[in-house]
């Protein structure tokens, strides 16, 4: 297995305040990796740096062996990195179908788009029912699904999911994570997942990194971490 | 409430192809026959002004409504177009057509340069900066006496000759601006329905999400100013030859405010809204002349009333906008 994403000694600061201190991790092709941590640990910062919205002060990000630090954010989407932003970033005035259509903005292959659209609708039957509905009137869970569907329309190699469980009811969270597993299984899309909900993240991911105040404090296989006493206490509340 | 229902019904009317062609023929018939029916030159003048402001509002709406950058210095592009065209015609003996083309190009380039340092600014900050640009431009016009003849302005701009016809009478100018308005409307319609226009609207709504979709945010923001500025310059050129003389007072910042009012009153990001806003705000002060000195009071009161009853503009983008505001309000309560 080759590393599709490799982050080496990445440091990011907001002004003089450091947000990430030399963190390193890697994601292999076809796997789901979770970054778990509490509020303010630097999870979203990591995401934004990978997707090119933030510039690091040090370190490098290798994507398919190429350093992508400094590449403009919109070019990375063409290269296959698709991000589902925190808070979803759905366009509330557009309909569900239009939001999904615009996800394929960077693509020109009509056949492929059509095929992916069918697949996405089969993955999210709820969205198919609501195709003509104005997106702003969807529920939180449906919005999250729409955001994921839209990101998938760009046909990504690497899907970045920022807090998919945020503000959702537990039942809906389970639905969302079920679909995350399905995406990974059916399309072999590599997924990097950032989550506060450690329990759900660990059930979906193969491996996980635990991040606290800008540093990676633990890493390992998800099933090992789930059995770890310290982690059970501080993250799983068991 | 009744008015709202009426407008939403009006907006939901969808014409089929033949109905549309019929509508265009009827409208064209009205426009062609108008100068024969209206013999009063004053009324024609107001109609021509309406045409000018419709085009200006469309161009500013492209910047404010579509690309989402609040510009209070639109008069800068308008005046620049007028001055460059005038200078090219009077000093270089260029034809109107070539001069307009060149001044549009130059203004577009200038608009891009103006936009570049302001890319990171948004909302109120951008408004203040563009307001400043407008003022700088007016002061430049007033003080660069060698080039612009200062406050006295440039008189005796010759009438344009297009395809062998000399356009000099009010009637001819009326037809000319009618064609320009038609071209602008057609362009805006195509623009709005294109992927380009859609992408611009998406950037306007949420630039992080737009980036996440692979849309180059900077490019669309720049294009907003470039296209809008160029369109304003074209109309500035028309204004110069129509009036026959230009001076800095025609490009004071009150003009910018007027254009912004037209955009906001008509509806941001809406083509029919731009037309309505421009025509209303141009014609109203004339219609209200019977109130003599209370004219502006009535005008102001009408604007306040309109903004209370239709805060999203007379003819807002579509019913979708309304939904958006409701949801935003709801979300802010949730947080």
């Amino acid at each position: 297995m080759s590393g599709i994403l490799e982050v080496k000694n990445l440091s990011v600061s907001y002004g003089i305040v450091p947000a990430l201190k030399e963190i390193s991790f890697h994601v292999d092709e076809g796997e789901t990796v979770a970054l778990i941590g509490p509020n303010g640990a630097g999870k979203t910062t990591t995401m934004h740096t990978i997707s090119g919205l933030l510039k690091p002060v040090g370190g490098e990000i290798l994507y398919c062996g190429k350093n992508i630090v400094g590449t403009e954010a919109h070019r990375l989407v063409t290269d296959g990195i698709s991000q589902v932003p925190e808070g979803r970033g759905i366009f509330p005035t557009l309909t569900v179908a239009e939001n999904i259509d615009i996800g394929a903005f960077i693509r020109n292959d009509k056949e492929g788009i059509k095929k992916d659209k069918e697949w996405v609708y089969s993955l999210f039957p709820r969205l198919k029912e609501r195709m003509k509905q104005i997106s702003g009137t969807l529920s939180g869970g449906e919005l999250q699904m729409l955001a994921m569907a839209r990101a998938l329309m760009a046909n990504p190699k690497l899907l970045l999911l920022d807090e998919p469980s945020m503000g959702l009811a537990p039942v809906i969270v389970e639905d969302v994570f079920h679909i995350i597993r399905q995406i990974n299984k059916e399309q072999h899309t590599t997924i990097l997942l950032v989550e506060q909900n450690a329990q759900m993240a660990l059930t979906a991911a193969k491996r996980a990194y635990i991040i606290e105040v800008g540093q990676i404090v633990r890493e390992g296989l998800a099933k090992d971490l789930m059995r770890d006493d310290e982690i059970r206490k501080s993250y799983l509340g068991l | 409430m009744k008015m709202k229902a009426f407008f939403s019904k009006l907006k939901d009317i969808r014409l089929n192809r033949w109905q549309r062609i019929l509508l265009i023929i009827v409208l064209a018939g009205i426009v062609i026959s108008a100068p024969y029916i209206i013999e009063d030159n004053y009324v024609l003048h107001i109609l021509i002004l309406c045409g000018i402001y419709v085009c200006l509002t469309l161009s500013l709406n492209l910047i404010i409504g579509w690309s989402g950058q609040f510009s209070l210095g639109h008069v800068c592009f308008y005046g620049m177009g007028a001055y460059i065209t005038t200078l090219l015609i009077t000093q270089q003996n260029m034809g109107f057509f070539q001069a307009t083309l060149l001044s549009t190009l130059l203004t577009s380039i200038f608009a891009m340069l103006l936009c570049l340092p302001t890319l990171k600014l948004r909302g109120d900050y951008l408004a203040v900066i563009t307001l400043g640009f407008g003022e700088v431009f007016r002061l430049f016009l007033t003080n660069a006496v060698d080039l612009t003849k200062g406050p006295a302005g440039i008189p005796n701009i010759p009438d344009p000759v297009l395809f062998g016809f000399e356009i000099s009478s009010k009637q001819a100018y009326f037809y000319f601006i009618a064609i320009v308005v038609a071209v602008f409307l057609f362009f805006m319609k195509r623009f709005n329905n294109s992927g380009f226009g859609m992408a611009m609207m998406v950037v306007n709504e949420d630039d992080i999400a737009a980036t996440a979709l692979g849309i180059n945010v900077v490019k669309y923001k720049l294009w907003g100013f470039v296209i809008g500025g160029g369109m304003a310059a074209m109309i500035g050129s028309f204004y110069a030859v129509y009036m026959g003389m230009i001076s800095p007072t025609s490009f004071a910042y009150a003009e910018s405010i007027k254009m912004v009012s037209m955009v906001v009153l008509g509806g941001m990001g809406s083509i029919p809204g731009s037309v309505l806003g421009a025509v209303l705000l141009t014609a109203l002060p004339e219609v209200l002349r019977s109130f003599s000195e209370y004219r502006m009071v009535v005008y102001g009161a009408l604007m306040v009333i309109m903004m209370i009853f239709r805060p999203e503009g007379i003819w807002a983008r579509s019913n979708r906008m309304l939904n958006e505001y409701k949801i935003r309000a709801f979300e802010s309560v949730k947080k």
Side-chain angles (χ1 to χ4, degrees):
Chain A
M1 287 259 197
S2 60
I4 188 168
L5 183 78
E6 234 181 306
V7 174
K8 284 183 185 164
N9 305 323
L10 189 71
S11 300
V12 182
S13 304
Y14 293 108
I16 53 160
V17 186
L20 292 180
K21 299 165 203 154
E22 303 214 329
I23 65 160
S24 300
F25 63 91
H26 67 99
V27 182
D28 289 337
E29 194 151 7
E31 70 175 350
T32 304
V33 170
L35 270 179
I36 301 167
N39 262 344
K43 303 186 303 287
T44 300
T45 307
T46 314
M47 279 301 201
H48 282 244
T49 316
I50 295 170
S51 59
L53 293 170
L54 283 173
K55 300 256 174 302
V57 256
E60 48 184 21
I61 303 165
L62 299 175
Y63 170 67
C64 296
K66 214 176 73 203
N67 192 357
I68 54 166
V69 169
T71 312
E72 287 163 286
H74 62 92
R75 289 201 195 290
L76 291 176
V77 184
T78 323
D79 290 344
I81 302 183
S82 210
Q83 187 191 9
V84 179
E86 192 180 8
R88 288 131 207 170
I90 285 297
F91 303 111
T93 54
L94 302 183
T95 63
V96 170
E98 281 170 327
N99 259 300
I100 287 182
D101 284 343
I102 208 157
F105 181 81
I106 50 151
R107 292 170 67 184
N108 285 319
D109 54 323
K110 279 199 180 132
E111 282 304 303
I113 293 175
K114 211 176 141 203
K115 222 178 81 197
D116 276 3
K117 213 190 290 186
E118 273 165 25
W119 171 66
V120 159
Y121 278 126
S122 72
L123 201 60
F124 302 99
R126 282 275 275 285
L127 296 180
K128 192 164 190 178
E129 286 164 27
R130 287 159 199 267
M131 267 170 82
K132 294 220 171 101
Q133 195 173 328
I134 304 287
S135 313
T137 59
L138 294 179
S139 73
E142 286 159 350
L143 278 177
Q144 180 60 43
M145 290 177 192
L146 180 55
M148 278 158 58
R150 197 183 59 183
L152 286 173
M153 284 304 291
N155 196 16
K157 276 189 237 160
L158 174 64
L159 184 65
L160 306 175
L161 292 173
D162 201 347
E163 300 262 2
S165 76
M166 194 172 72
L168 300 184
V171 195
I172 312 284
V173 172
E174 274 185 35
D175 281 354
V176 168
F177 275 87
H178 176 73
I179 290 167
I180 292 173
R181 281 193 291 266
Q182 213 176 332
I183 294 168
N184 182 250
K185 217 161 73 188
E186 285 181 17
Q187 291 273 321
H188 306 290
T189 311
T190 315
I191 297 173
L192 177 62
L193 178 74
V194 152
E195 211 17 285
Q196 279 195 51
N197 186 336
Q199 185 157 16
M200 281 321 295
L202 287 177
T203 55
K206 190 178 143 217
R207 289 189 301 119
Y209 294 86
I210 303 213
I211 181 168
E212 268 173 26
V213 240
Q215 274 166 323
I216 286 183
V217 290
R218 285 290 301 273
E219 63 170 288
L221 289 173
K223 53 178 193 251
D224 295 340
L225 289 174
M226 227 166 350
R227 264 187 249 118
D228 191 284
D229 277 342
E230 201 185 324
I231 288 171
R232 283 168 71 98
K233 221 194 271 160
S234 36
Y235 288 100
L236 304 177
L238 298 171
Chain B
M1 230 26 226
K2 247 183 200 162
M3 198 159 91
K4 226 170 225 171
F6 170 72
F7 269 102
S8 65
K9 237 183 221 160
L10 203 63
K11 278 192 280 186
D12 285 337
I13 294 175
R14 290 280 172 272
L15 300 176
N16 67 30
R17 194 153 152 240
W18 294 110
Q19 284 168 323
R20 219 174 279 175
I21 291 171
L22 195 73
L23 186 74
I24 289 172
I25 291 172
V26 170
L27 279 177
I30 292 171
V31 169
I32 290 169
S33 55
Y36 295 100
I37 300 162
I38 305 161
E39 280 165 351
D40 192 351
N41 264 351
Y42 168 70
V43 177
L44 264 187
H45 172 70
I46 300 300
L47 285 176
I48 292 169
L49 278 186
C50 281
I52 289 176
Y53 279 111
V54 165
C55 296
L56 278 175
T57 308
L58 283 172
S59 68
L60 181 62
N61 212 339
L62 199 145
I63 299 177
I64 295 182
W66 273 271
S67 89
Q69 301 175 93
F70 203 85
S71 166
L72 271 177
H74 205 56
V75 83
C76 184
F77 307 132
Y78 174 45
M80 194 170 281
Y83 263 89
I84 295 176
T85 304
T86 305
L87 290 174
L88 287 174
I89 291 176
T90 55
Q91 293 186 359
Q92 308 290 329
N93 287 321
M94 237 187 220
F96 172 72
F97 206 65
Q98 293 91 319
T100 303
L101 221 63
L102 196 60
S103 79
T104 303
L105 200 74
L106 286 172
T107 308
S108 289
I109 293 169
F110 176 81
M112 192 177 76
L113 292 178
L114 192 153
C115 184
L116 270 176
T118 57
L119 273 173
K120 292 233 154 146
L121 300 172
R122 57 186 71 200
D124 345 359
Y125 303 104
L126 183 65
V128 171
I129 295 271
T130 47
L131 184 71
F133 272 115
E135 274 305 273
V136 167
F137 176 70
R138 191 182 62 82
L139 288 171
F140 172 78
L141 290 183
T142 321
N143 292 305
V145 180
D146 294 339
L147 188 67
T148 64
K149 299 200 182 142
I154 305 173
N156 302 327
I157 304 166
D159 284 319
V161 179
L162 284 179
F163 310 113
F165 294 104
E166 197 196 4
I167 295 171
S168 55
S169 66
K170 279 249 161 24
Q171 280 78 11
Y173 273 113
F174 176 78
Y175 287 135
F176 189 12
I177 193 73
I179 292 167
V180 175
V181 169
V183 170
F184 267 47
L185 284 174
F186 177 74
F187 167 77
M188 287 303 286
K189 185 98 192 144
R190 293 302 299 260
F191 171 81
N192 188 34
N193 294 342
S194 68
F196 192 89
M198 178 97 152
M200 201 180 261
M201 243 160 34
V202 161
V203 169
N204 174 9
E205 268 189 41
D206 188 336
D207 48 356
I208 289 192
T211 310
L213 297 175
I215 298 173
N216 187 346
V217 171
V218 172
K219 179 179 136 190
Y220 285 97
K221 285 198 163 179
L222 281 178
W223 272 112
F225 262 105
V226 169
I227 302 174
M231 284 163 81
M234 279 184 210
I235 293 307
S237 310
F238 175 85
Y239 176 81
V241 290
Y242 171 61
M243 292 312 249
M245 81 93 60
I246 47 171
S247 70
T249 44
S250 318
F251 307 109
Y253 102 107
E255 280 293 295
S256 291
I257 302 291
K258 198 167 160 188
M259 290 178 221
V260 172
S261 320
M262 288 170 179
V263 168
V264 175
L265 193 88
M268 286 192 234
S270 153
I271 299 170
S274 305
V275 177
L276 273 176
V279 171
L280 264 179
L281 288 197
T282 318
L284 256 186
E286 307 301 330
V287 174
L288 294 176
R289 268 191 201 282
S290 52
F291 290 90
S292 60
E293 60 255 51
Y294 297 105
R295 182 164 78 110
M296 286 333 254
V297 177
V298 178
Y299 176 80
L302 277 176
M303 275 195 72
V304 171
I305 291 169
M306 276 202 231
M307 282 339 272
I308 288 172
F309 286 102
R310 294 198 66 77
E312 72 280 12
I314 302 172
W315 192 298
R317 177 136 64 202
S318 69
N319 308 350
R320 292 174 185 188
M321 278 318 266
L322 224 87
N323 272 324
E324 191 197 16
Y325 289 133
K326 278 184 202 149
I327 286 145
R328 281 216 182 130
F330 176 66
E331 267 176 357
S332 62
V333 172
K334 259 200 313 195
K335 274 171 194 164

